[in-house]
């Protein structure tokens, strides 16, 4: 294999036949796997393509927004029996008769996001539109609990000060269109990419 080959899985000269080792573009990793049944040629990446260093196509902005809307709808449906009986709206301001309900709803949202992304690398919304989250460092899925929790952590700003959560959402939306790899605040914090499923 040429030393200037793009990142990907290749047969390393020092490894036994039938195995592949990950080449990051500079050096071999410690990770190996059984070779694919028919060795694939290194991906041809055209200039300007949104492809991770691991050869995965970055998900479209539309699919990510669609996935988020589906997830919000699911969380609202799960939380509705707890929220609506304990919620009042006065002068456009939402208040909760039982303050603990607000924290319970937040815990439901956190569990939903962290569990699905840790174990499946995708929430139900992402699964429905055919996208998933991979680690930036190695393209690994599922991403695991540490990365999933770190990626979710910007949501905590909702509970630090009023309006900070909205700032994170707005900044993420801007980055989704401005960043070449369509990374949001959550991707930068969690060191992840969101990609189309193979």
């Amino acid at each position: 294999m040429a030393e200037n080959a793009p990142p990907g899985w290749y047969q390393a000269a020092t490894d036994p036949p039938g195995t592949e080792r990950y080449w990051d573009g500079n050096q071999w990793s410690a990770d190996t796997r059984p070779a694919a049944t028919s060795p694939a040629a290194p991906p041809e990446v055209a200039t300007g393509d949104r492809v991770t260093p691991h050869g995965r196509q970055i998900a479209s902005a539309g699919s990510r927004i669609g996935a988020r809307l589906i997830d919000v709808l699911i969380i609202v449906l799960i939380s509705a029996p707890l929220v609506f009986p304990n919620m009042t709206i006065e002068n456009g301001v939402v208040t909760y008769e039982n303050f603990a309900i607000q924290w319970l709803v937040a815990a439901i949202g956190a569990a939903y996001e962290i569990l699905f992304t840790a174990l499946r690398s995708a929430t139900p919304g992402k699964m429905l539109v055919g996208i998933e989250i991979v680690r930036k460092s190695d393209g690994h899925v599922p991403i695991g609990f540490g990365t999933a929790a770190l990626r979710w952590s910007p949501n905590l700003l909702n509970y630090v000060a009023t309006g900070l959560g909205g700032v994170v959402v707005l900044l993420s939306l801007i980055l989704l269109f401005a960043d070449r790899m369509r990374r949001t605040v959550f991707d930068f914090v969690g060191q992840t990419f969101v990609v189309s499923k193979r």
Side-chain angles (χ1 to χ4, degrees), residues 38-173:
S38 57
E44 295 291 330
V45 179
T47 304
D49 276 358
R50 290 184 168 103
V51 178
T52 72
H54 320 100
R56 301 292 303 274
Q57 183 69 43
I58 294 294
S60 70
S63 64
R64 293 193 63 176
I65 292 169
R68 174 51 60 194
L69 292 174
I70 293 168
D71 288 329
V72 167
L73 178 61
I74 292 171
I75 292 171
V76 166
L77 291 174
I78 292 170
S79 305
L82 297 170
V83 172
F84 293 127
N86 293 286
M87 183 177 75
T88 57
I89 302 174
E90 295 179 15
N91 299 323
V93 177
V94 177
T95 57
Y96 293 89
E97 293 176 17
N98 183 346
F99 188 69
I101 294 296
Q102 183 177 357
W103 290 102
L104 182 56
V105 170
I108 290 170
Y112 175 92
E113 184 85 23
I114 293 170
L115 287 172
F116 275 112
T117 56
L119 299 174
R120 300 290 302 273
S121 275
T123 58
K126 287 182 174 63
M127 291 180 213
L128 284 171
V129 302
I131 61 178
E132 65 183 351
I133 304 164
V134 298
R135 290 197 304 232
K136 181 182 175 186
S137 60
D138 57 11
H140 185 74
V141 292
I143 62 174
F145 282 98
T147 301
L150 189 61
R151 191 176 190 279
W152 179 87
S153 66
N155 288 296
L156 292 171
L157 293 174
N158 284 325
Y159 309 101
V160 172
T162 305
L164 281 182
V167 171
V168 170
V169 171
L170 179 61
L171 184 55
S172 290
L173 193 57

Side-chain angles (χ1 to χ4, degrees), residues 1-8 10-14 21-29 42:
M1 186 200 78
E3 293 299 302
N4 62 351
Y10 300 98
Q11 168 69 49
T14 56
R21 184 175 296 274
Y22 189 76
W23 171 257
D24 68 6
N26 295 310
Q27 62 184 0
W28 294 105
S29 75

